[in-house]
Amino acid sequence: MNLTVRIERWPLQRAFTISRGSKTEAVVVVAELESGGQGGRGEAVPYLRYGETPEGVAAALEAMAAALRGGLNRDRLQTAMPAGAARNALDCALWDLEAKQAGRPAYDLAALPAPKPVVTAYTVSLDTPEAMAAAALRAKSHCLLKVKLGGGGDDAERIAAVRRAAPAAELIVDANEGWSEADLERNLAACAQAGVTLIEQPLAQGRDAALGKIRRPIPVCADESVHDRASLDAISGKLDKAGGLTEALALAAAAERRGFDIMVGCMVATSLAMAPAMLVAQRARVVDLDGPLLLAEDRSHGLRYEGSVVYPAEPILWG
C-alpha cells in the first residue's frame, strides 16, 4: 500500500472568525492511498488549538508509510496513532480504499443503512452585531443558522441582531470556549431571549463544572470537551478530533448508550472532509457540515447543497 500526502490551501469567500481568531483560507492535509490499482483518500484540518500544524500532520502521516506498506489496517491504526487530524485523514482514506476494493459503499462496510440527505447549519461568523445581521440576511435560504459568539460584551447584541435579521430561522450558538463563569448566565439569558435552541461549548475545556451549578434554559453541547470515547467520562463530535470515522462511529454509539443527543460538526474544509461525516450525521440531532459553503470554490464532485439540505457523497468523491 503506497501513501501520498499533500498540503492544500483553499481560499474562503470571506474571512471566517471565531473567538480564537480569523482566517481567509482553509489549509487541509490530504492522505491518498494506492493498492492494487485502487485508491482511497481522506482529508483533515490541522487544529492549532491542539498544537497541530499542516507540516506536523503531514510528517505524522508520512511516518506511517512503512507501516502501511507492511499491511497496517484500519483496526490497528486506532492504537498506532493518537486521535487527531493525522489519524483522521488516514482512517478516512482507508475506509475509501476498502470501499473501492470491495466494490461496496463505505456505509455498507460499516453495516449502516444508506445515508439520506440531512439539514445542515450554515455558519454566521463572529463580527460586529451589524455585520452579523447582514450575514444572516445573506443566508436567508438557510433554515438553520449557527452563530459564532464568544467575542466579549457584545454577544447579547450580536445574537439579538441575528434574530432580528432572521426571524424564522432556527438558531444555534457556538461560543468556542469564549465565555467565562462571570458572563455565563447573562449570555444564556440573551440566547434564550433570542430563541436559541442549542449552545455549543460555552466554557473552556476543563471548566464545564460551572454548567452544573446554574439553571440552563437552553441545552448545551460539548465540542472541545469531548474528543473520543474516553473523554465521555469527563463530562458532538468532529472527525478530526475523534481521529477518524472509525472512532466517531464508536463515540456516537457510546454517547447514545448514555442518553446523549449527538451533534456532528466540521472544520472549514472541502467536501472530501464532509463526506465521511455524513455517515455519522444520520444519527445526529444537529448537523453542522457547511464547510464547503464557506469556500470560494469546492473540489470536483463535491457534496450537493440545496439551501440547508446536504446530500450524501457520490463514490467518485469518497466511499
Side-chain angles (χ1 to χ4, degrees), residues 14-15 25 76 125 156 176 179 226 231 235 278 295 298 314:
R14 53 181 57 87
E25 63 179 2
R76 297 204 303 274
S125 181
N176 284 113
W179 292 350
V226 173
S231 55
I235 39 161
M278 282 292 291
L295 303 177
D298 193 9
E314 297 295 333

Side-chain angles (χ1 to χ4, degrees), residues 129-130 133 136-137 156-168 171 194:
E130 296 77 16
L137 282 172
E157 291 84 356
R158 289 182 177 106
I159 193 62
V162 170
R163 173 48 80 201
R164 288 192 296 271
L171 301 183

Side-chain angles (χ1 to χ4, degrees), residues 64-90:
M64 302 303 295
L68 288 162
R69 288 194 297 270
L72 178 73
N73 62 20
R74 188 165 42 79
D75 289 337
R76 297 204 303 274
L77 175 66
Q78 308 311 308
T79 54
M81 299 184 78
R87 195 179 81 189
N88 175 41
L90 192 50

Side-chain angles (χ1 to χ4, degrees), residues 1-5 31-42 61-77 81 89-101:
M1 192 182 307
N2 298 310
L3 170 68
T4 302
V5 179
E32 290 189 343
L33 297 173
E34 185 279 327
S35 179
Q38 297 286 352
R41 57 182 182 166
L61 285 166
E62 288 165 349
M64 302 303 295
L68 288 162
R69 288 194 297 270
L72 178 73
N73 62 20
R74 188 165 42 79
D75 289 337
R76 297 204 303 274
L77 175 66
M81 299 184 78
L90 192 50
D91 182 79
C92 292
L94 284 165
W95 274 103
D96 191 26
L97 179 61
E98 290 172 31
K100 299 298 193 295
Q101 290 177 327

